[in-house]
Each structure stands twice: as C-alpha cells, then as structure tokens.
Amino acid sequence: MAGQSATPLVKEHEAAVLRLQDVGVRRHTTEQLILDGIDWAVRPGEHWALLGANGAGKTTLLRLIGALMHPTVGTVDVLGSRLGRVDVRELRARIGHVTSAQRVPQDLTAHAVVLTGHSGTVQPLWRTYDDEVRLRAHDLLTELDVKDLADRPYGVCSGGQRARILIARALMADPALLLLDEPFNALDLPSREDLVEAMHQLAEGRPRLATVTVTHHLEELFPAVGHALLLRGAGPWPRGPWTTS
C-alpha cells in the first residue's frame, strides 16, 4: 500500500519502536501454526496498516506487539524491551490501545473516560488523579477537538466522538506506540470520516508517534499511513507476511 507520510523521514539506524525477528506462534492445544517467520520493524513516526483475511493472524500479532502474549519462537522487542525479559504489566502501560470493543460505562463523562486511561481501569480511581492528571485529560480532549464534550456522558456521544474520546484515553500514558484494533467497526460513514480526520490531525501533531491500524478496508486509513503488513494464513499460496512502503 503506497501513501504519503505526514512525518519526517526516519533514519534507518534509529532504534525501532517495535521489532519482531523470525517470530512464530503455535496454538499449544492443537499444534496449529498461526504465525510463522515474521520479521518486522516499526520506527518512530511510522504509520502502518495491518491487513489480512479473517484467520490470517492479525489478532494474534496485535496481541504480541501489545505485550498480551509471548511468541512460541523468535523475539519480540517493544519500546526497547524484549518480551520474556520485562514486566509486561509495566510495558502495557506504555502502549496506547484503541478498540471498538473497549468496555466503557455509558454514564461516565468524556473527561472521566479519558482519566481511566491513566489508571488503566474501566471505572475511575478518583483518588489517584491529581490536578496535573486531570488537566492532562482536558488537554487531550482539546487536542482531539472534543473539549466541549468533557462533561457529556459517553453514552450520548456520536460514534465519531466516542472514537476521539477513546484515542484521548489511550494517549494518557503518552505512548510512543498506538495500536488501533479495527477502530472503525460499527461506525457509520460520517463517524468513519470523522475518525480518519482525527487520526490525520494526530499524526501531524505528534511526528514521533508510531501507529499500527488493523482494518479490512483501505479507504478507512488516514493519509499518513505509508506502510502495510499483509498477513496470509495457511493455504495453497506461500505464507506471509509481505511488507510494502
């Protein structure tokens, strides 16, 4: 997938935000090979699309780079830490994750939803949020152009507004890596267009932020996405992945 990048060119020798070397994943119960021979690097400021049919391994790969599981073989380095040699709880706290399946209490205000990104919880832990944290949540709502929704219940916000709020929540940890797991799922066309615009603005405003977006539809990708990783599951063709810039 070709595209125009909104970020400066990154030097090849610069440390990768994410690096996988000869990674494979096998399901222990059935010995099914889910991923095989994955070599992939994501550098600061790069925006990637993760593509592939259902069953190709996209969810498994996203779980690997989100520090939610370990590979069967190979090495996975995320934000300078190697899985198996680091406390994954601390590592997960440094990775932004946006998914349409995120559980959010519908009565929470947009500001409260963003605050839960600081504590990594579903419900707010009010005693853990000092004035600086609360101000940061407001600043992120402003950055995502939804500051007027700060006191509005999440449940009455539009699909596009909810997506922007969830991105702001994911940014509370000031991550270098943002993972978007089918963020357009269940959104109507205006909301999808709104989310594309939000991600475009975010890429322009945060030139060092790296993103990986899982999607089935290329038209949902924002203009800064200039790289793609295509996964192909088991079948009569050679097994992936293929990368392109």
Side-chain angles (χ1 to χ4, degrees), residues 9-239:
L9 291 176
V10 179
K11 296 180 181 179
E12 285 297 319
H13 66 268
E14 188 166 8
V17 171
L18 173 67
R19 185 179 297 278
L20 286 73
Q21 293 182 299
D22 199 24
V23 165
V25 174
R26 187 181 296 273
R27 184 171 286 124
H28 295 294
T29 54
T30 63
E31 290 300 308
Q32 177 189 0
L33 191 63
I34 302 172
L35 294 173
D36 185 33
I38 304 289
D39 291 301
W40 182 31
V42 176
R43 292 179 174 81
E46 291 184 348
H47 302 282
W48 283 78
L50 181 55
L51 308 172
N54 290 333
K58 298 189 303 299
T59 298
T60 299
L61 184 54
L62 202 68
R63 286 176 58 81
L64 281 174
I65 64 179
L68 294 172
M69 64 179 294
H70 291 76
T72 306
V73 297
T75 59
V76 178
D77 295 288
V78 184
L79 304 180
S81 298
R82 177 158 296 180
L83 296 189
R85 301 180 182 176
V86 64
D87 186 335
V88 291
R89 294 169 297 180
E90 295 181 1
L91 183 56
R92 288 172 198 154
R94 297 162 52 205
I95 302 169
H97 200 163
V98 178
T99 172
S100 58
Q102 173 71 43
R103 288 191 302 150
V104 179
Q106 301 296 289
D107 60 337
L108 285 185
T109 65
H111 183 247
V113 172
V114 177
L115 283 174
T116 63
H118 176 78
S119 51
T121 56
V122 175
Q123 293 286 351
L125 301 181
W126 296 110
R127 294 182 179 179
T128 67
Y129 310 139
D130 58 22
D131 290 343
E132 182 179 352
V133 170
R134 292 169 187 259
L135 179 59
R136 175 165 174 74
H138 277 295
D139 289 343
L140 287 170
L141 287 170
T142 299
E143 181 178 356
L144 272 297
D145 201 24
V146 284
K147 64 178 181 180
D148 294 340
L149 304 180
D151 297 321
R152 183 178 300 181
Y154 179 84
V156 302
C157 294
S158 70
Q161 291 169 340
R162 292 186 187 191
R164 287 176 181 256
I165 292 167
L166 291 181
I167 293 172
R169 179 185 185 276
L171 293 175
M172 277 297 288
D174 196 22
L177 175 65
L178 181 63
L179 308 179
L180 299 108
D181 186 6
E182 299 194 48
F184 301 91
N185 190 32
L187 294 183
D188 58 21
L189 181 58
S191 295
R192 291 184 181 195
E193 293 178 344
D194 185 56
L195 181 52
V196 168
E197 176 61 23
M199 288 306 304
H200 176 62
Q201 294 173 350
L202 188 67
E204 288 191 327
R206 293 175 176 252
R208 301 288 298 173
L209 179 67
T211 68
V212 177
T213 302
V214 177
T215 183
H216 290 283
H217 306 286
L218 293 180
E219 67 273 13
E220 295 175 344
L221 298 172
F222 52 99
V225 176
H227 311 269
L229 178 67
L230 174 62
L231 296 179
R232 177 175 289 173
W237 299 278
R239 195 172 177 87

